[in-house]
Amino acid sequence: MQVRLEQKGDVSVFKIAGNIDIETSPEMKKEIDKAMAGKQKKVVMNLREVSYIDSSGLATLVEVLKNLRSYGGKMKISDLSDKISGLFEITKLNKLFDIVQDEASAINSF
């Protein structure tokens, strides 16, 4: 699992690749928390290269969203594969997260 941060204007875009599971989600959380120490208000999680996510990975995304909302930040999730999108629907997390088709649309929707 890899986490890359790209700044697109005032939007922080996290590009995550690989599997997000019980072994990798703590590292992902650590990387994201470190990068968001400046309390960015606009965050996009690009999951295009995520091939698998388990409940601990979903819980980590929920925790990141909760932290963002605590200081008025907003998060969009973009570029979900059909498989990952289905997981968000089954777990009803598609109602919690603002899921956008692609990264450019997510950035423009703030």
Side-chain angles (χ1 to χ4, degrees), residues 1-104:
M1 191 270 319
Q2 294 177 307
V3 177
R4 278 190 345 265
L5 173 62
E6 295 179 7
Q7 280 301 131
K8 308 262 176 128
D10 63 346
V11 180
S12 299
V13 179
F14 288 92
K15 296 194 175 200
I16 303 170
N19 294 336
I20 306 172
D21 56 28
I22 189 82
E23 292 181 17
T24 61
S25 58
E27 181 63 28
M28 180 182 83
K29 173 91 168 68
K30 191 168 102 179
E31 294 283 327
I32 292 170
D33 285 349
K34 184 171 63 171
M36 290 180 31
K39 298 200 183 295
Q40 287 84 345
K41 295 275 188 176
K42 300 175 184 175
V43 174
V44 173
M45 296 288 174
N46 181 326
L47 303 184
R48 175 186 313 252
E49 296 180 42
V50 172
S51 49
Y52 174 81
I53 186 166
D54 71 4
S55 59
S56 65
L58 293 173
T60 299
L61 290 173
V62 170
E63 195 174 341
V64 170
L65 178 64
K66 183 179 169 193
N67 290 344
L68 260 169
R69 286 183 173 171
S70 73
Y71 60 81
K74 295 185 178 179
M75 181 170 87
K76 315 276 182 172
I77 295 180
S78 74
D79 297 273
L80 294 179
S81 68
D82 290 343
K83 179 181 171 185
I84 303 293
S85 180
L87 180 63
F88 275 80
E89 288 175 27
I90 289 169
T91 59
K92 304 282 190 237
L93 288 175
N94 60 327
K95 301 201 183 312
L96 175 67
F97 290 104
D98 189 354
I99 298 174
V100 184
Q101 185 70 28
D102 57 53
E103 183 181 308

